[in-house]
Amino acid sequence: VKQSEGERNYHIFYELFSGMDSKEAQRIFLAGMSPLDFNMTCSSGTFDRRDGVRDRDTYMAMRSAMDTMDFSGEEQFEIFVITSALLHASNLTFLEIDTDHCEIEEENPHLEAVCVLFGVTAENMNTALCSFSIQAGREGSVRRSLSKEKAEKGLEALIKATYGALFGYLVGRINDSVAHREESEDAALYLSSEPVASIGVLDIFGFESFAMNSFEQLCINYCNEALQQQFNAFVLKNEQLEYEREGIEWSFISFPENQDVLDLIDKKGSGILNILDDQCRAPGTTDRSFASDVYQKCSGHARFAASKRQMSTLKFVVQHYAGPVEYTCDNFVEKNRDELPKESVELLLSSGNDFVCYLASMITGSNTASDSPIRSSDKGRPYPLRRSSSGVARSTVGGQFSRQLKELRKKIDLTQPHYVRCLKPNDDLVPDRFDRAIVASQLRCGGILEAIRVSRAGFTQHYPHEEFYRRYKSINRKKQTNSRKSGGFSYASNQSPGFPGSSSYRNMNGRRVAGERTNNDRQLTSKEKCEQLLKGIWRKIEESQQTHTSEGSSANGPPERSRSFNRNGVSQHVTPMTPRQWKSASSRTKNTSESNGHGAPGNSEMSRRNIQMGNTKVFLRQKVFELIERLRGEELSVVATLINSVIRMYLARIAYLPVRDAYREEILARQRAFHDKSDVLPRSEFESPSERTKTSRRFESDVRATLHNRGVTGGTWRKTPTKKFKWVLVEGRWVRNEKLEQL
């Protein structure tokens, strides 16, 4: 009924003003009005959504969704009638007659709308809200007046209870529309049949810690504590089930248990919510008596704290998984009671509107949306009514919350949950703005960082055998090449033609030898390939450890960054490990005996090195994964450099060959011209060796000058150019540049 600054009330209240047509608005007394005219929608001063979504668009979408869920037009209108009645009820005012006597202001223009929409009289409403009855033995009941303050609180309780019943009705109605049940002529059998299957979406609120935290924040954080415990157990359970299924060695993963926080909040007898319920049952209790009881019973708890200054202001601190939160005890007792006078329920039960009577029966607990789905096609009254006694048996808010939370956890345990974490990038709800501090706070408060820590405590990387072999076989590239040359085992293709294991192959002398396949020559499984590959990887690790240890002892500057590749093949920079990190990651491989006699580690040694070979997967811890990724990155860098050099050499040779051919052709032409000229001139001019050298140099100089202004690519160099140009090398190809004057 009240909002904080910057917040709106429920969207439906604003959508009615923007989307409803004038005729319907007039029927529910909203014609010509706006959110500014009602206390429930104007107290915060915020009317528009910060995300820019228009209320008219969401109203139309809501009406379309109600049509899809088989809500009839009459049902939809009845829902809007109750919504409008709550808006008008928030504007009712009381006149104080004396200290303990008040009455509803009859001149209030909203009184008529409330009475018409609820289907009650003004006299009955005044009696229900401004007085209460006390049973006085056998003689009957005695009616007493209420003060103005208590009457206003009773009106707020009536508004909240009615809206809660309306929301429960909508939930049950929607569930009835989407649930699959076997068709049956028997209505009772139809209503009692269970759904075949269901998919639920749980939208939970996040951890809250404000400058002022009250009863609402305690309930919200209690829910987050319980669901975080369930999430940790779910993640850990799935991880350990996979370990058992793969048949690997593992030890129990320790993770912070928050059961002590749950006991502090909801343990029977000593929990904060249980203490609060006891206070609400006792007469004459206040927030101060509740705080004193909490200090007395919870002061020795490790997760509870309250300094003298905090105790003087009725405050205490609970150490949650996401951090400490300070709560104030103000209004704890009143909010937990949330008392709805039985006179208010009797007022709704006396309504001439069947839908209002049904909501009243839901409030009393005699009928719930989950027990009896509502269908307008039922025989008799459209909203079946079950009256209860005049007393309203309502548990406390904290008790209801705790009970519903336990039921929710039981339902989650019976399902296969999938978690989706939603993060708000900024508080202004604008696009393209990422606030690191806000996102980090949400990750911490949402328990995601703790879940990641639990996950990293085990084997963080799970690779199927085929994928592991495909990804990391390049690390043992040299070993594979040597194996192919010697005719031995090849990781890439151990059954290639000409290798042992095929029906025939060539021996060392080149002769084809026929023979049968033996056990040693059989096709290796993916698991065996991975085991063979790991042998070479560990040799690489030992060699790299020794190399980096010797280099690190003499290095003074920071380690250089090398290029690696992630699981998608995208290049990334990896900082080399220090010698100490390499030594820790390889888990002291010196002076260890190899189980198979070939220097390869056995399974127990792999476990010490934080790697396990499962039935279908290879499991790696984070440190070893980073180490192997580094080796893979180095090998890929070498191969990429080699490929790059070969391609560049090929392009350079393509550009060089036309120049070479043109040069040779020009030399031959000059030599022929020289010999022709030498036949005419006296022989003595060319017999001196020095003269021949000068002539050769002159030829070379003339050839270069000629090639500078003539074509040199393919057959083009022989053609006479129409105008001057230069041949320039562009992206490995020789092209003409005829803009010689501009150069």
Side-chain angles (χ1 to χ4, degrees):
V1 293
K2 296 179 181 178
Q3 293 77 45
S4 302
E5 184 179 357
E7 294 183 353
R8 297 205 321 170
N9 208 317
Y10 295 111
H11 295 313
I12 181 61
F13 295 122
Y14 305 89
E15 292 170 355
L16 289 179
F17 298 106
S18 300
M20 181 170 284
D21 60 61
S22 58
K23 292 184 179 180
E24 287 186 330
Q26 187 173 4
R27 292 177 62 187
I28 60 177
F29 299 90
L30 291 181
M33 293 187 175
S34 69
L36 285 169
D37 299 322
F38 297 93
N39 294 330
M40 278 202 340
T41 54
C42 71
S43 59
S44 65
T46 301
F47 306 99
D48 298 324
R49 295 179 55 158
R50 291 186 295 172
D51 54 7
V53 178
R54 298 194 309 168
D55 291 322
R56 177 176 179 81
D57 296 338
T58 54
Y59 174 81
M60 300 305 297
M62 179 192 65
R63 294 298 295 262
S64 176
M66 296 180 79
D67 293 337
T68 303
M69 291 291 104
D70 294 330
F71 282 83
S72 65
E74 181 184 356
E75 284 181 286
Q76 297 182 33
F77 182 75
E78 290 292 341
I79 293 171
F80 299 143
V81 165
I82 300 301
T83 307
S84 177
L86 298 180
L87 284 171
H88 287 283
S90 67
N91 281 14
L92 294 180
T93 55
F94 297 88
L95 295 177
E96 186 175 10
I97 306 302
D98 53 41
T99 305
D100 295 329
H101 186 199
C102 71
E103 62 182 18
I104 297 178
E105 184 179 359
E106 295 181 358
E107 301 298 328
N108 192 313
H110 298 277
L111 178 59
E112 179 185 0
V114 174
C115 294
V116 172
L117 296 174
F118 273 141
V120 298
T121 64
E123 182 181 358
N124 290 341
M125 177 165 287
N126 184 76
T127 301
L129 295 179
C130 298
S131 63
F132 68 100
S133 60
I134 301 177
Q135 190 70 26
R138 298 180 180 179
E139 298 179 359
S141 60
V142 178
R143 185 163 294 277
R144 295 288 182 86
S145 299
L146 290 173
S147 64
K148 179 181 178 181
E149 181 182 359
K150 291 184 178 179
E152 290 175 347
K153 290 183 179 179
L155 176 61
E156 292 180 357
L158 175 63
I159 293 174
K160 290 188 290 185
T162 306
Y163 186 85
L166 178 62
F167 186 84
Y169 163 78
L170 290 173
V171 171
R173 185 68 176 80
I174 294 172
N175 288 340
D176 180 58
S177 298
V178 301
H180 170 76
R181 292 182 175 89
E182 298 295 338
E183 295 295 336
S184 175
E185 297 181 356
D186 189 351
L189 180 61
Y190 175 84
L191 294 176
S192 62
S193 60
E194 294 294 332
V196 176
S198 63
I199 298 176
V201 179
L202 175 63
D203 183 9
I204 65 173
F205 25 68
F207 187 83
E208 291 187 355
S209 179
F210 304 124
M212 186 69 67
N213 301 287
S214 187
F215 176 72
E216 297 86 354
Q217 281 69 45
L218 180 64
C219 292
I220 289 174
N221 294 338
Y222 168 48
C223 177
N224 278 273
E225 286 282 357
L227 296 180
Q228 181 65 26
Q229 183 190 53
Q230 192 168 29
F231 174 71
N232 287 342
F234 172 76
V235 172
L236 188 63
K237 179 181 178 181
N238 282 356
E239 192 80 4
Q240 294 176 349
L241 284 177
E242 185 171 15
Y243 294 165
E244 294 177 356
R245 185 169 56 250
E246 292 290 330
I248 67 173
E249 300 176 6
W250 62 279
S251 58
F252 182 79
I253 302 174
S254 61
F255 63 96
E257 178 61 55
N258 61 346
Q259 182 61 43
D260 52 349
V261 184
L262 299 177
D263 293 341
L264 172 63
I265 297 176
D266 195 28
K267 187 176 181 179
K268 187 175 182 180
S270 61
I272 296 175
L273 292 181
N274 284 271
I275 295 174
L276 182 59
D277 287 347
D278 293 339
Q279 291 286 318
C280 292
R281 296 188 188 100
T285 56
T286 62
D287 293 330
R288 183 167 293 277
S289 63
F290 161 68
S292 299
D293 203 3
V294 169
Y295 296 147
Q296 180 181 358
K297 295 182 179 180
C298 302
S299 58
H301 200 283
R303 297 276 191 160
F304 182 87
S307 63
K308 292 183 178 180
R309 181 187 60 82
Q310 291 171 331
M311 294 174 68
S312 63
T313 55
L314 303 184
K315 296 180 179 180
F316 62 89
V317 176
V318 175
Q319 184 70 39
H320 292 280
Y321 73 91
V325 179
E326 183 183 65
Y327 299 96
T328 178
C329 296
D330 294 340
N331 300 322
F332 257 62
V333 175
E334 178 184 346
K335 291 178 179 179
N336 189 51
R337 280 177 179 158
D338 195 23
E339 294 178 336
L340 178 64
K342 65 178 182 180
E343 289 78 12
S344 298
V345 180
E346 292 173 351
L347 173 68
L348 298 180
L349 288 172
S350 66
S351 170
N353 187 325
D354 292 337
F355 187 52
V356 174
C357 293
Y358 178 77
L359 296 180
S361 67
M362 292 179 61
I363 295 175
T364 61
S366 62
N367 199 0
T368 61
S370 59
D371 295 337
S372 179
I374 312 303
R375 298 180 65 88
S376 60
S377 59
D378 290 341
K379 295 181 179 181
R381 303 180 64 167
Y383 309 103
L385 184 60
R386 302 176 187 174
R387 287 187 177 271
S388 63
S389 61
S390 60
V392 182
R394 286 171 55 87
S395 61
T396 61
V397 175
Q400 294 180 35
F401 190 87
S402 178
R403 182 178 63 256
Q404 292 173 359
L405 179 59
K406 292 177 181 178
E407 293 175 356
L408 173 64
R409 295 190 63 177
K410 290 180 180 179
K411 290 182 180 179
I412 295 177
D413 288 336
L414 298 176
T415 62
Q416 180 66 27
H418 300 269
Y419 292 88
V420 178
R421 299 289 186 173
C422 301
L423 301 178
K424 185 170 61 174
N426 58 78
D427 287 336
D428 298 328
L429 301 182
V430 296
D432 301 328
R433 183 186 301 175
F434 187 86
D435 193 321
R436 297 171 61 90
I438 292 176
V439 174
S441 177
Q442 293 177 81
L443 291 173
R444 182 178 63 256
C445 295
I448 301 177
L449 297 181
E450 187 61 33
I452 293 175
R453 193 203 65 80
V454 172
S455 179
R456 286 174 66 93
F459 295 92
T460 58
Q461 304 295 327
H462 305 173
Y463 282 97
H465 291 159
E466 296 82 0
E467 184 179 354
F468 180 83
Y469 177 77
R470 177 193 60 78
R471 180 170 181 79
Y472 296 112
K473 64 182 180 180
S474 60
I475 297 179
N476 211 26
R477 178 174 53 87
K478 294 183 179 179
K479 178 65 178 177
Q480 297 175 37
T481 303
N482 295 336
S483 299
R484 294 189 186 100
K485 291 181 178 179
S486 61
F489 172 75
S490 171
Y491 296 121
S493 176
N494 63 313
Q495 289 298 325
S496 299
F499 280 79
S502 58
S503 59
S504 63
Y505 61 94
R506 296 184 182 276
N507 61 9
M508 297 300 294
N509 297 325
R511 297 179 180 178
R512 184 170 297 277
V513 179
E516 297 181 357
R517 188 186 302 273
T518 64
N519 292 334
N520 295 331
D521 298 332
R522 62 180 175 82
Q523 176 76 29
L524 294 181
T525 63
S526 299
K527 182 176 182 179
E528 291 171 337
K529 288 182 180 180
C530 290
E531 290 175 348
Q532 295 287 346
L533 177 59
L534 282 174
K535 299 175 186 179
I537 291 177
W538 288 117
R539 293 191 190 95
K540 284 272 190 180
I541 291 177
E542 294 176 359
E543 295 172 1
S544 300
Q545 177 192 7
Q546 297 174 359
T547 303
H548 281 262
T549 301
S550 59
E551 292 178 355
S553 60
S554 59
N556 297 323
E560 298 180 354
R561 296 172 66 87
S562 62
R563 184 173 296 275
S564 181
F565 297 83
N566 60 15
R567 297 183 67 168
N568 297 324
V570 181
S571 63
Q572 59 185 5
H573 290 285
V574 179
T575 303
M577 296 183 180
T578 62
R580 181 175 298 179
Q581 291 172 328
W582 277 79
K583 186 175 182 180
S584 174
S586 58
S587 303
R588 302 179 181 85
T589 57
K590 294 182 179 180
N591 301 325
T592 47
S593 59
E594 312 300 353
S595 61
N596 55 8
H598 297 283
N603 191 54
S604 60
E605 193 166 342
M606 288 183 186
S607 176
R608 289 198 301 271
R609 291 171 179 172
N610 301 327
I611 187 169
Q612 287 272 359
M613 180 72 68
N615 296 328
T616 62
K617 295 181 180 180
V618 178
F619 294 81
L620 305 172
R621 293 191 188 273
Q622 188 63 26
K623 286 187 177 181
V624 175
F625 168 72
E626 293 173 355
L627 180 61
I628 296 178
E629 279 292 310
R630 172 190 165 80
L631 293 177
R632 177 177 177 270
E634 291 177 349
E635 290 295 333
L636 292 180
S637 179
V638 172
V639 174
T641 303
L642 178 61
I643 295 174
N644 190 21
S645 64
V646 172
I647 294 177
R648 290 170 65 89
M649 178 190 69
Y650 173 74
L651 295 176
R653 183 168 180 79
I654 290 177
Y656 162 74
L657 289 177
V659 178
R660 185 199 64 180
D661 295 340
Y663 185 82
R664 291 178 178 177
E665 191 72 22
E666 189 67 25
I667 288 290
L668 293 176
R670 292 302 181 104
Q671 287 180 351
R672 286 194 296 268
F674 174 75
H675 289 303
D676 294 341
K677 185 178 180 181
S678 64
D679 294 338
V680 179
L681 297 177
R683 176 69 61 179
S684 58
E685 295 186 12
F686 301 97
E687 290 180 353
S688 174
S690 59
E691 290 296 333
R692 294 176 182 173
T693 303
K694 293 179 181 180
T695 304
S696 300
R697 292 175 180 174
R698 186 180 64 195
F699 285 166
E700 294 175 2
S701 178
D702 293 343
V703 168
R704 292 191 185 95
T706 303
L707 292 177
H708 187 72
N709 295 310
R710 294 184 60 182
V712 293
T713 304
T716 308
W717 66 273
R718 298 185 182 89
K719 299 178 182 179
T720 303
T722 56
K723 60 180 181 178
K724 294 183 179 181
F725 66 92
K726 285 186 178 180
W727 285 97
V728 294
L729 187 64
V730 178
E731 297 181 356
R733 297 182 58 189
W734 287 96
V735 296
R736 290 184 178 184
N737 187 351
E738 298 180 350
K739 299 180 181 180
L740 185 62
E741 296 80 3
Q742 301 178 6
L743 298 178

